[in-house]
Amino acid sequence: MLDTNMQTQLKQYLGNLREPVELVASLDESDTAKQTRELLTQIADLHDMVSVSFDGTHERKPSFIIRRGSDATKWVRFAGLPLGHEFTSLVLALLWAGGHPPKVDPDLVQQARALEGDYEFEMFFSLSCHNCPDVVQALTLMALENPRVTATLIEGGAFKDEVEERGILAVPATFLNGESFYNGKMELAELLSKLDSGADEKAAEKLNAKDPFEVLVIGGGPAGVASAIYTARKGFRTGIAAERFGGQLQDTLGIENLPGTSYTEGPKLAGDLKTQANENGIDLMDLARATELRPAGEAGGMHEVTLANGAVLKSRSLILSTGARWRNLGVPGEAEYRNKGVAYCPHCDGPLFKGKRIAVIGGGNSGVEAAIDLAKIVGHVTLIEFDTKLRADEVLQRKLRSLPNVEIITNGETTKITGDGSRCNGLVLKDRETGEERTITLEGVFVQIGLVPNTEWLQGTGINLTKYGEIIVDEHGATNIPGIYAGGDATIVPDKQIVVAMGEGAKAGLGAFDYLIRNEPVEEIANAA
């Protein structure tokens, strides 16, 4: 199961164990069960503090629990093989069960330990899902820290009948006490905030106690981190308030066009940016969604940003880098069948449509790349483009046209998503030239039609926006309000690319630096007088 290199790495990690770890497997006669036995045997052979038994009697087979040898009430269950993107989750589960402290905010760990009530989680993941590990790891940590929390983490490919029965068409899919709890990515802090009724108040109290910043960046994507690194290295007290650190990087798999980096993946790049931000002393505030902006009344004064939890942050300068999100089709049926056949992440949800007929809406790079990737998994792909021709790079178009199970439709307008009440079963397509409509029978629709800026909260603040909601900036990244700058996908700058966002973020950071050294704080001017 594990090659020599993986075994060597795992053995090194297991050297951090402080107490015994027990693996208990419940197996059947399936091929997955045989692979599970082989995997667990290899793990146990790597360290004498890890033991394995195959006498488990749990009804979900194949599965295995990882539990602390010193406290059998703290355990986590994996059903199926946690390999692929989840191998790291398996390693962390072993380490945490063995007493190795998690590299997590101690306040969050304590919050998990203090949860009252009984929580029985079941979570479905796919091995190609890059959003799933955060949920898997959050639930794992909670289960290993609090005996009243249990977590069963299920690889959907090994339990297809259950996936079908529960109507799961998007991962990560999390259930609590038998009921659907949440579809989508969640980190530990967000998960705890949903369970702990006082979490928002505690977070707001902590944020309100912070001293004013010299530079406050709103948004934690490539643009925001780039700007913060520049201002922090100039010696200014810098903070990043982000609803989701990493932004769209968390939804991006392969990145092959970042100069100097032949290949990386979005979540890894987001992690690297977070590490670099910490190394530069930047105050990172995650799950911090900005809802209101009150610009300073005069140069050198304090801008104020209110967050969704009620906290208010103050800063001499602001850099707005709130990024963008996937644009919705805005047609009947889309919202009704979201996560029930309508999807936005081909890498996460594609494996759930194995052998089925699906459509991809959008003929740009994202849409064509999605169609190429999905064609390897699904039975048939219909790619629909609103324009008269595809807009993707020619190399991608050539690859797409070479695939035998792909149909390309241009000049087509999707007017409706259809379904049977529980899941999507097709769409209505209008020929924009003839006006003729037809219904295409499908089991999934992947929407890839571009981005919309996350700037609704800036309406009425005095910040100049285009009719599309993009922030208007000059060549220095400055908005029309002194001391407020912007960069990245939320601005008017074309070509929404990672490298462009980084450059525009750096430019905004340098603009803020120039502003700060030319404008003394109001309080200092008053004291000097």
Side-chain angles (χ1 to χ4, degrees):
M1 285 299 299
L2 302 179
D3 61 30
T4 302
N5 184 51
M6 294 177 71
Q7 290 187 55
T8 300
Q9 291 182 359
L10 182 55
K11 184 173 184 178
Q12 183 177 354
Y13 289 135
L14 294 178
N16 293 301
L17 295 179
R18 300 181 178 182
E19 57 182 276
V21 176
E22 297 177 350
L23 309 176
V24 182
S26 301
L27 304 179
D28 53 20
E29 299 302 318
S30 66
D31 288 340
T32 303
K34 295 174 183 177
Q35 292 173 327
T36 300
R37 179 184 290 272
E38 181 181 353
L39 172 65
L40 299 184
T41 301
Q42 284 184 330
I43 293 173
D45 287 343
L46 293 176
H47 201 285
D48 58 9
M49 293 184 74
V50 181
S51 62
V52 61
S53 63
F54 300 99
D55 56 359
T57 58
H58 193 270
E59 60 184 14
R60 184 177 273 113
K61 299 176 181 179
S63 68
F64 64 94
I65 64 171
I66 300 175
R67 70 186 180 198
R68 292 188 172 177
S70 61
D71 187 351
T73 66
K74 295 178 179 178
W75 54 267
V76 61
R77 179 179 300 277
F78 285 94
L81 288 168
L83 299 176
H85 284 290
E86 295 302 342
F87 182 68
T88 298
S89 302
L90 172 62
V91 174
L92 290 174
L94 292 166
L95 293 179
W96 295 340
H100 184 66
K103 294 182 179 179
V104 176
D105 184 341
D107 290 342
L108 292 178
V109 176
Q110 185 55 43
Q111 191 177 351
R113 292 170 179 165
L115 281 176
E116 297 182 356
D118 295 312
Y119 301 96
E120 183 179 340
F121 285 101
E122 296 169 294
M123 179 264 180
F124 290 80
F125 63 89
S126 71
L127 297 181
S128 61
C129 173
H130 54 277
N131 286 326
C132 293
D134 282 333
V135 189
V136 169
Q137 291 163 25
L139 292 173
T140 295
L141 188 144
M142 289 172 59
L144 291 174
E145 292 292 341
N146 189 328
R148 300 185 69 177
V149 177
T150 65
T152 299
L153 310 167
I154 306 161
E155 195 277 293
F159 294 88
K160 294 179 182 178
D161 291 344
E162 188 171 358
V163 167
E164 288 287 337
E165 181 182 340
R166 295 201 185 195
I168 298 170
L169 292 173
V171 291
T174 305
F175 294 79
L176 174 58
N177 299 334
E179 301 293 332
S180 180
F181 176 67
Y182 190 79
N183 275 85
K185 179 175 179 176
M186 280 189 301
E187 295 187 358
L188 179 61
E190 185 177 4
L191 180 58
L192 289 170
S193 72
K194 292 180 179 295
L195 301 175
D196 185 350
S197 59
D200 284 347
E201 291 78 4
K202 295 173 187 174
E205 182 179 359
K206 188 174 180 180
L207 292 171
N208 280 327
K210 292 183 180 291
D211 293 332
F213 293 94
E214 292 175 288
V215 181
L216 176 61
V217 180
I218 308 299
V225 178
S227 61
I229 288 172
Y230 268 77
T231 59
R233 289 174 63 84
K234 296 289 187 182
F236 289 110
R237 172 171 154 72
T238 301
I240 295 178
E243 181 176 2
R244 182 178 65 150
F245 193 90
Q248 291 181 71
L249 288 179
Q250 302 288 6
D251 303 320
T252 304
L253 191 56
I255 300 172
E256 298 176 324
N257 57 1
L258 189 63
T261 304
S262 298
Y263 179 84
T264 188
E265 296 184 351
K268 181 182 185 305
L269 180 56
D272 292 341
L273 290 174
K274 192 170 189 177
T275 297
Q276 190 174 12
N278 283 320
E279 289 172 348
N280 281 277
I282 297 166
D283 189 343
L284 301 182
M285 295 161 279
D286 210 353
L287 295 183
R289 179 169 63 89
T291 58
E292 184 180 349
L293 166 63
R294 290 183 295 279
E298 54 190 303
M302 291 290 174
H303 305 285
E304 295 186 357
V305 175
T306 301
L307 305 179
N309 61 16
V312 177
L313 300 174
K314 299 180 180 181
S315 182
R316 288 179 58 199
S317 67
L318 290 178
I319 298 175
L320 307 175
S321 59
T322 48
R325 62 187 183 276
W326 288 116
R327 186 182 300 276
N328 293 325
L329 279 170
V331 301
E334 180 183 19
E336 180 182 356
Y337 294 107
R338 186 188 305 271
N339 297 324
K340 298 177 183 178
V342 176
Y344 301 83
C345 179
H347 301 293
C348 299
D349 302 331
L352 301 175
F353 294 85
K354 185 176 181 179
K356 298 179 180 180
R357 298 181 68 87
I358 63 99
V360 173
I361 313 298
N365 281 351
S366 295
V368 172
E369 286 176 346
I372 291 171
D373 290 340
L374 288 166
K376 304 170 187 175
I377 303 170
V378 304
H380 186 271
V381 178
T382 300
L383 184 134
I384 301 171
E385 165 57 34
F386 185 84
D387 203 350
T388 57
K389 60 182 179 180
L390 301 184
R391 295 167 286 108
D393 294 343
E394 183 60 34
V395 63
L396 294 174
Q397 292 191 43
R398 287 198 300 270
K399 175 63 176 176
L400 181 70
R401 297 182 192 281
S402 72
L403 301 175
N405 61 336
V406 173
E407 177 189 5
I408 300 171
I409 298 175
T410 56
N411 215 17
E413 178 183 358
T414 302
T415 60
K416 183 179 181 180
I417 305 292
T418 63
D420 61 7
S422 61
R423 62 177 62 192
C424 162
N425 62 16
L427 59 79
V428 178
L429 181 67
K430 177 181 177 181
D431 187 308
R432 295 181 58 234
E433 182 177 356
T434 66
E436 180 182 353
E437 285 192 340
R438 64 183 173 113
T439 298
I440 302 177
T441 300
L442 300 161
E443 294 172 277
V445 177
F446 287 79
V447 181
Q448 303 278 290
I449 58 171
L451 305 169
V452 58
N454 297 315
T455 57
E456 292 88 348
W457 67 288
L458 295 174
Q459 297 287 344
T461 62
I463 298 284
N464 285 343
L465 307 173
T466 69
K467 64 180 181 179
Y468 302 109
E470 295 175 317
I471 303 170
I472 299 174
V473 293
D474 66 12
E475 65 272 19
H476 302 291
T479 70
N480 59 300
I481 296 181
I484 300 182
Y485 294 77
D489 288 359
T491 73
I492 60 172
V493 175
D495 302 319
K496 311 301 186 184
Q497 299 290 315
I498 295 170
V499 67
V500 174
M502 288 178 169
E504 292 298 315
K507 185 193 297 183
L510 292 171
F513 162 72
D514 185 71
Y515 168 83
L516 289 170
I517 62 175
R518 294 173 185 274
N519 293 274
E520 294 183 77
V522 171
E523 295 84 351
E524 292 182 14
I525 296 173
N527 291 336

